[in-house]
Amino acid sequence: MKELDRKHTATLLRNASHVLILGHANPDGDCIGSMVALLLALKTMGIQATAWAVAPIPLKYRFMDSLFQKPDPASTNSWDLTVCLDTPCRSRLEVDPALIPSDVPMLCIDHHRISKDEFDYVYEDTSQSAVGCMLYELFCDLAVPLSREMAEALYAAVITDTGCFTNRNTDIRAFEISVELIKAGADPGTLAEYIYLSASVDQLRVLGEVLESLELLSDGRGALMYLSDATRRACMAESADTENFVNYARSIFGVQVAAMLIEAEDANHVRVSLRSKERSVNVSDFARQLGGGGHPCAAGVTAHAPLAEYLPEFRRELTAFIDSLPV
Ligand SMILES: [Mn+2]
């Protein structure tokens, strides 16, 4: 593994001839926007690039959909670099890494703490609000002009990961970069409409079910919500419809830790999202105890069990974590 700074990451990209771009399962706006922006930047530089997504892109990010493609099997020989974005370990990749020839070096660019042994090259910057911000600075180094499409993709990345500039990771740099993206053609109102004003009726129905499941733990310091695969299906909702529901639990006065458990479509594993309101309540410590990871205020775990089996155990663990926090 070789740890790179921004300058050396730029050099690595500049020397590539065909780059495969990958993201994580259940991709969010930072992942999708970063994949699209990197794809467009590389093409501008005259470098071949393929952005590979497996599942359909969620409706709210559909404005970036047309750039993704399933790679042509004949082209896999020409890949000379894989770039994983917003995905700190191989097990979180949406595309099975076994499908990628093992002699193609893998670069991970992320603002999460990266499992460094799993990649050939690593460019990590945990001080950044979004991978989109890291890419913006990288494109400046590479002197790639920002097209409107690139600016829109990066702006989508920044507003998703900063929660529209409300999360604790929101810093001056995120605002400064956003100003440059707006100057390059990203329209805040239009992008907010795509991403935040495009809920389906099914999504609101499934939100109703999730809110019904709300439990308060440890005298209201914890809030837990969950959704079984059967309930999701009954509401005709897609998994992507539940992104950010955990924030309703976090929004409650007095809640320090919010958790949302979503049973996966195969009903064999559960995705756990954890949120806190301040860095001193570090939910990534708790996530790591359970085999996951993330940031101090936003972390996650995947548990390999059906929801009904995992829920009582998780409730116990979460209660113990909250009770261990200073009051
Ligand atoms: Mn991110």
Side-chain angles (χ1 to χ4, degrees):
M1 186 280 303
K2 204 164 178 191
E3 197 151 4
L4 306 178
D5 58 12
R6 193 168 77 217
K7 193 169 139 252
H8 289 98
T9 305
T11 306
L12 186 68
L13 290 173
R14 205 183 277 121
N15 291 334
S17 60
H18 189 169
V19 177
L20 174 67
I21 303 167
L22 303 177
H24 57 76
N26 306 301
D28 57 11
D30 187 28
C31 180
I32 294 168
S34 295
M35 290 174 80
V36 165
L38 180 61
L39 177 88
L40 294 171
L42 291 169
K43 290 194 165 171
T44 308
M45 293 161 68
I47 295 168
Q48 276 194 71
T50 305
W52 189 1
V54 178
I57 301 296
L59 190 62
K60 57 186 167 179
Y61 303 123
R62 217 46 80 75
F63 67 98
M64 298 185 275
D65 184 33
S66 63
L67 293 157
F68 288 89
Q69 59 183 127
K70 209 179 153 66
D72 168 7
S75 74
T76 61
N77 287 334
S78 70
W79 295 337
D80 58 359
L81 182 66
T82 303
V83 182
C84 308
L85 297 172
D86 205 34
T87 311
C89 56
R90 292 166 69 107
S91 61
R92 287 272 294 131
L93 282 168
E94 191 192 29
V95 173
D96 181 354
L99 297 175
I100 297 143
S102 58
D103 57 345
V104 180
M106 239 185 215
L107 160 68
C108 178
I109 300 178
D110 205 353
H111 63 139
H112 302 97
R113 207 163 287 294
I114 300 173
S115 291
K116 297 190 175 147
D117 317 335
E118 299 181 21
F119 298 95
D120 301 289
Y121 300 100
V122 163
Y123 172 36
E124 176 189 280
D125 186 353
T126 56
S127 74
Q128 296 269 17
S129 318
V131 173
C133 294
M134 298 175 72
L135 291 185
Y136 172 82
E137 293 180 348
L138 199 55
F139 298 163
C140 292
D141 283 5
L142 288 163
V144 184
L146 270 190
S147 65
R148 183 177 53 81
E149 267 181 308
M150 284 165 69
E152 286 174 345
L154 291 177
Y155 187 84
V158 178
I159 59 170
T160 307
D161 266 25
T162 58
C164 292
F165 310 107
T166 63
N167 292 346
R168 292 275 174 185
N169 64 359
T170 307
D171 56 10
I172 290 173
R173 185 158 49 172
F175 279 107
E176 284 172 345
I177 290 172
S178 299
V179 168
E180 295 308 315
L181 298 173
I182 293 166
K183 285 184 193 161
D187 181 58
T190 306
L191 290 161
E193 184 179 337
Y194 289 151
I195 300 173
Y196 297 104
L197 302 175
S198 62
S200 64
V201 174
D202 298 334
Q203 195 172 1
L204 292 194
R205 290 218 170 89
V206 81
L207 173 61
E209 293 289 340
V210 167
L211 294 176
E212 280 295 322
S213 76
L214 176 72
E215 295 176 15
L216 293 177
L217 308 173
S218 302
D219 295 324
R221 296 167 70 202
L224 169 63
M225 305 195 303
Y226 48 87
L227 176 66
S228 70
D229 186 48
T231 305
R232 184 186 58 76
R233 277 175 204 276
C235 295
M236 317 264 283
E238 294 172 32
S239 303
D241 290 340
T242 57
E243 190 185 319
N244 292 326
F245 279 5
V246 65
N247 288 331
Y248 289 97
R250 182 170 66 163
S251 71
I252 300 165
F253 179 76
V255 165
Q256 292 175 290
V257 179
M260 165 95 199
L261 275 60
I262 299 177
E263 192 171 43
E265 285 169 31
D266 59 9
N268 262 329
H269 60 279
V270 175
R271 281 191 293 120
V272 181
S273 299
L274 295 161
R275 298 290 185 274
S276 72
K277 289 175 177 161
E278 50 188 320
R279 284 176 205 272
S280 60
V281 177
N282 189 334
V283 288
S284 73
D285 286 346
F286 177 54
R288 263 194 291 277
Q289 277 175 37
L290 305 177
H295 305 287
C297 295
V301 192
T302 300
H304 297 275
L307 178 66
E309 197 178 294
Y310 185 60
L311 184 60
E313 177 190 332
F314 177 81
R315 190 187 283 120
R316 243 187 344 264
E317 302 266 10
L318 179 62
T319 305
F321 172 71
I322 296 166
D323 290 344
S324 75
L325 297 169
V327 181

